[in-house]
Amino acid sequence: MTPGPVGAFDTWGNYYSLLLPYQFVYDADGSHDFVPGAAQEANPAVPSQVISVSVRPHGATTATQWLSTHGGHPDYVATYDSIGNGPDKQWIAIDTNPNSPHLNRIYAMWVDFHSKTAVPYVAYADARPDGTHTDWSTPQVLPEPPSTPQGATYLLPHVAPDGTVYTTLTNSDPAHRFCCDAIVLNASHDGGRTWSTVSALPGTITPPPGSYANTTFRDGIEDTFTLGSRPVNGHYPLYVAYEDYATGVVNVLLTASYDGGASWSDPIRVNDNAAPVDEFQPNLTTGPDGTVSVAFYDRRLACPAAGTAEAQAAGLALDTANPKHPGAPYGATDYCVDTSVQFYDPTLNPLGHNLRLSSHSFDPQLDAPVEGSDTFIGDYFGNTIGGTTDYTTSVTTYDDGTNPAHLQQQQVTAVAVPRH
């Protein structure tokens, strides 16, 4: 099984997909066991869990034209035994900047959840025109400030036009029941050979309290990071957006650095809803003119009313087993979910107000995988700008005529980027 693939293109048009294959067995009760011993594994001769790469070469035309080996072996970046290890949260970036000294270098990052500690790793290789690449570097642990509890996740690498590689790391505090998060910025100025911690975002970040109000679902990655391609005051701007529960509901906050991460601006609230409801799971991108886009999930609109076509298409009549809400959620507030976006100029002056991207609200309780007492709507939320258009991909269970079972589907939206 291979969950959560992410990918990036090199300058020749080859597509690199960073994967997380793992073996599992079925327990007696029919459930999946993802940490089996070697004797139980379907194929004990190969690693239980790996970080690996498959490449779709430029010009490939059939489904089987993937390169998944390197040097005559599977293209492993890192391998793990099952017991005591849980590699996850893999991410990839490729340096496509023409003036960079490390053009077409591939950066792979992931986390090994080991002995209840999240250990962040990085490895790199150089892409070649034919879709092959050099050997992967030996994985190295990314640094964290000595004053913080060790263990960090949510690695989000980006490469500046000068070849500097940046990533944020999110550090939680298990000793205090994960009460507080710290977001740290790391950088490499030599193509990934060495790394240093540049700074931490100021203040205390309060993460969401598990599942969201009125519902049982939780979201995934709590923060998002990107950089601008045009300098501001001589530096490429860095942007971080994150969830914060300090007010008793989840808000999306945004901050920027214009000095390479040495200092950060005071956070601003992205969501402009008047009533206090949860707004969560932001995703950042920037455009070629420096425009900043923050997309996020939005719960400001009440669920559709009983007897309406919208309520029927949203499948609300099927949602009657939620322990936090009796009966179907007709007209419920802080419950159904939309997708919204807010645009800014490079110095975070807002360009208009929040813009609803989804045409229909969806019920997050439907078809959500169960994890203990919680359900899940997924980690991944896409946001990118191509030319003058912003594209997002996000979850929905709405039936637009093609989804009568109200399965979790990806909706794709496109909206013009405002000028500034």
Side-chain angles (χ1 to χ4, degrees), residues 7-16 91-109 122-129 133 136 156-166 188-193 195 227-229 236:
F9 288 93
D10 64 20
T11 61
W12 298 290
N14 304 305
Y15 177 74
Y16 285 74
W91 212 262
I92 189 172
I94 299 179
D95 188 344
T96 57
N97 300 286
N99 297 322
S100 169
H102 307 291
L103 179 64
N104 285 305
R105 179 154 291 181
I106 313 156
Y107 299 96
M109 293 186 180
V122 61
Y124 61 86
D126 291 323
R128 293 170 174 154
H133 58 80
W136 290 102
L156 302 168
H158 289 274
V159 188
D162 63 1
T164 301
V165 192
Y166 296 96
S188 174
H189 301 282
D190 56 8
R193 293 181 179 88
W195 292 82
L227 54 82
S229 59
Y236 296 104

Side-chain angles (χ1 to χ4, degrees), residues 16-106:
Y16 285 74
S17 184
L18 189 64
L19 307 171
L20 178 61
Y22 56 85
Q23 300 188 56
F24 68 90
V25 299
Y26 288 105
D27 288 334
D29 62 0
S31 61
H32 293 76
D33 186 343
F34 299 109
V35 287
Q40 298 172 282
E41 291 170 7
N43 188 353
V46 301
S48 175
Q49 304 175 73
V50 305
I51 302 294
S52 68
V53 160
S54 289
V55 184
R56 178 80 169 173
H58 174 68
T61 57
T62 67
T64 59
Q65 287 178 278
W66 286 85
L67 304 178
S68 57
T69 60
H70 176 73
H73 303 281
D75 197 351
Y76 295 149
V77 183
T79 62
Y80 294 91
D81 293 325
S82 59
I83 304 302
N85 293 285
D88 199 1
K89 308 304 181 192
Q90 74 277 17
W91 212 262
I92 189 172
I94 299 179
D95 188 344
T96 57
N97 300 286
N99 297 322
S100 169
H102 307 291
L103 179 64
N104 285 305
R105 179 154 291 181
I106 313 156

Side-chain angles (χ1 to χ4, degrees), residues 17 20 27 105 142 274 283 291 296 328 397:
S17 184
L20 178 61
D27 288 334
R105 179 154 291 181
L142 287 166
N283 195 289
T291 300
F296 57 95
T397 58

Side-chain angles (χ1 to χ4, degrees), residues 260-413:
S263 64
W264 294 88
S265 64
D266 292 336
I268 58 176
R269 196 180 87 165
V270 174
N271 48 289
D272 60 12
N273 48 289
V277 296
D278 294 316
E279 315 286 351
F280 59 97
Q281 203 165 326
N283 195 289
L284 274 166
T285 192
T286 56
D289 65 350
T291 300
V292 180
S293 166
V294 190
F296 57 95
Y297 285 126
D298 190 332
R299 297 222 288 179
R300 76 185 69 190
L301 297 181
C303 291
T308 63
E310 278 291 294
Q312 181 177 357
L316 300 191
L318 303 174
D319 181 6
T320 58
N322 177 2
K324 290 186 176 181
H325 190 282
Y330 296 117
T333 57
D334 203 14
Y335 196 107
C336 290
V337 180
D338 280 276
T339 302
S340 296
V341 69
Q342 176 65 52
F343 294 102
Y344 298 88
D345 72 12
T347 56
L348 299 190
N349 294 303
L351 304 174
H353 298 281
N354 292 175
L355 179 65
R356 184 187 185 193
L357 295 177
S358 49
S359 299
H360 309 278
S361 303
F362 78 92
D363 186 333
Q365 294 293 112
L366 301 180
D367 192 47
V370 178
E371 300 178 334
S373 60
D374 291 340
T375 55
F376 187 43
I377 66 168
D379 275 338
Y380 300 109
F381 187 152
N383 186 19
T384 190
I385 292 177
T388 59
T389 302
D390 184 75
Y391 301 93
T392 65
T393 61
S394 56
V395 169
T396 185
T397 58
Y398 185 86
D399 178 20
D400 62 354
T402 64
N403 188 26
H406 301 280
L407 303 178
Q408 282 191 355
Q409 302 286 310
Q410 285 288 304
Q411 64 178 353
V412 180
T413 64

Side-chain angles (χ1 to χ4, degrees), residues 229-244:
S229 59
R230 291 188 176 188
V232 176
N233 299 326
H235 294 272
Y236 296 104
L238 310 174
Y239 304 101
V240 176
Y242 57 91
E243 300 172 346
D244 186 75

